[in-house]
Amino acid sequence: MPWVLHVDLDQFLASVELRRRPDLVGLPVIVGGNGDPTEARKVVTCASYEARERGVHAGMPLRIAARKCPEATFLPSDPAAYDAASDEVMGLLRDLGHPLEVWGWDEAYLGADVADPHELAMRIRHVVEAETGLSCSVGISDNKQRAKVATGFGKPAGVYRLDDDNWMAVMGDRGVGDLWGVGPKTTKRLAALGITTVGDLAAADAEVLTSTFGPSTGLGILLLAKGGGDTDVSTEPWVPRSRSHVVTFAADLTDRAEMDAAVVELARKTLAEVVEQGRTVTRVAVTVRTSTFFTRTKIRKLAVPGTDESVVRDAALAVFDRFELDRPVRLLGVRLELAMPHAPAVTTAT
């Protein structure tokens, strides 16, 4: 049978830093912002396992992380180094000769029609560690979703297999939120139906699920609970569907002119990257987070896809104008959704 292997690099950002700072191996390391734990409104991007054991996790404000783990070493985020390390690993995986589908910096899927997927998984771990000094975990299954779940059981630096033989024994009593693709909102709605475990969901009435969630989502989560999922591993290069930038302000903004200026600068900065990549903007989205941490995103489709700076800027400001700004603004973000390369689009002059 064809197998799907999910490869996930362990504590990737922290591991890249530890590779160039071996003196920190075995110690709590926290990556984020400029590496200054006193810096306002910066968050943890990645924490080493030693820091995680002390309650530090991604997304946590650096100041709180410093209180939880004062002995940690704080390091600045270095995207260029992570790009290089990721390219290094993905190149090694491609050299194994199996179809590879890259999902980001630190994870990818391999499709392999082999007799012994465990042997291949161990080879992957050995090659990655020997050539790069980075460790990875590998989940084995016959589809992407189940392989992704399997990886969680293999972490760190391990291999785990989930298939029809052990799926329900391993997952049946676990909460539905342990399924990849079932988030908090869906979990809450399922609980209202009396469905709390994977086993409950697998045994649920399909008509009840489709009437509650719609035919696509209802049947989709039922398939996940039964251990099903996507089996195709694409060899097409991974192409981002959007580019974005966000800024968290040192002090909440209350002046509308300052907010507009920030939106314009975010749009300009993001568009410059889009133009550099030869891509085309189709929609413009703006995200606002207030001082109460209420976060909302609004989006607008461009009349004609393109890269005209004034058009993108005006669209971003128009979207921002749709927000009711009754609280100080803590964060602003601009996301530009892009036409995919195979889709024809009209490009206007900059």
Side-chain angles (χ1 to χ4, degrees):
M1 63 180 296
W3 296 98
V4 176
L5 281 69
H6 177 249
V7 181
D8 194 346
L9 292 163
D10 300 319
Q11 55 174 21
F12 175 58
L13 274 59
S15 292
V16 174
E17 299 296 344
L18 293 172
R19 185 168 65 168
R20 53 187 176 184
R21 289 287 306 275
D23 56 301
L24 297 177
V25 172
L27 302 175
V29 172
I30 298 172
V31 179
N34 293 322
D36 181 1
T38 67
E39 192 176 12
R41 302 192 174 186
K42 297 300 182 180
V43 300
V44 176
T45 307
C46 181
S48 68
Y49 289 124
E50 292 79 8
R52 296 180 195 185
E53 291 174 357
R54 292 161 173 78
V56 178
H57 58 78
M60 173 181 287
L62 289 179
R63 289 181 172 180
I64 294 178
R67 290 200 294 269
K68 285 183 173 290
C69 191
E71 70 274 28
T73 298
F74 287 79
L75 299 174
S77 184
D78 186 354
Y82 311 142
D83 280 337
S86 178
D87 289 345
E88 188 179 359
V89 172
M90 299 309 164
L92 291 171
L93 296 180
R94 288 188 179 93
D95 288 345
L96 293 174
H98 301 283
L100 182 75
E101 185 172 337
V102 179
W103 274 55
W105 264 340
D106 59 350
E107 64 177 323
Y109 288 96
L110 277 85
D113 191 0
V114 295
D116 187 354
H118 188 271
E119 187 277 333
L120 175 59
M122 295 301 294
R123 182 184 174 197
I124 290 169
R125 287 197 58 254
H126 174 74
V127 167
V128 170
E129 185 170 5
E131 296 291 335
T132 71
L134 302 173
S135 72
C136 66
S137 300
V138 183
I140 303 170
S141 191
D142 55 353
N143 64 68
K144 291 177 180 176
Q145 284 78 358
R146 191 149 62 177
K148 172 84 170 181
V149 174
T151 308
F153 291 104
K155 280 190 167 292
V159 174
Y160 198 89
R161 174 170 160 177
L162 275 176
D163 54 27
D164 288 338
D165 291 337
N166 66 343
W167 172 256
M168 202 53 67
V170 173
M171 296 295 298
D173 293 332
R174 291 181 173 270
V176 292
D178 287 348
L179 293 171
W180 182 44
V182 177
K185 291 183 178 179
T186 301
T187 298
K188 185 176 181 179
R189 294 179 68 185
L190 286 169
L193 299 174
I195 299 171
T196 59
T197 69
V198 173
D200 293 338
L201 181 54
D205 189 316
E207 291 186 4
V208 172
L209 295 176
T210 55
S211 64
T212 303
F213 297 96
S216 178
T217 300
L219 294 179
I221 59 176
L222 180 60
L223 177 67
L224 291 177
K226 293 178 180 292
D230 300 329
T231 58
D232 292 334
V233 175
S234 172
T235 58
E236 292 295 321
W238 179 73
V239 180
R241 287 170 166 76
S242 66
R243 296 289 298 186
S244 64
H245 279 283
V246 299
V247 58
T248 301
F249 303 105
D252 295 338
L253 297 188
T254 56
D255 182 76
R256 179 56 186 263
E258 291 183 0
M259 298 178 196
D260 287 347
V263 169
V264 169
E265 175 58 21
L266 288 167
R268 184 203 63 76
K269 185 176 181 180
T270 308
L271 180 62
E273 295 179 356
V274 171
V275 172
E276 184 179 357
Q277 296 174 357
R279 304 291 297 280
T280 303
V281 180
T282 59
R283 296 203 274 183
V284 178
V286 176
T287 298
V288 174
R289 177 174 298 156
T290 66
S291 57
T292 59
F293 282 84
F294 179 77
T295 306
R296 176 165 291 178
T297 299
K298 297 181 184 292
I299 191 167
R300 167 180 284 192
K301 183 178 181 180
L302 296 183
V304 178
T307 55
D308 187 295
E309 184 172 327
S310 63
V311 171
V312 173
R313 177 199 64 211
D314 291 348
L317 288 172
V319 173
F320 183 53
D321 197 46
R322 291 163 51 192
F323 288 89
E324 295 182 9
L325 301 174
D326 55 353
R327 295 286 190 278
V329 171
R330 175 185 177 88
L331 172 148
L332 286 172
V334 171
R335 184 181 77 249
L336 304 181
E337 295 193 356
L338 310 175
M340 298 306 289
H342 62 272
V346 178
T347 304
T348 55
T350 302

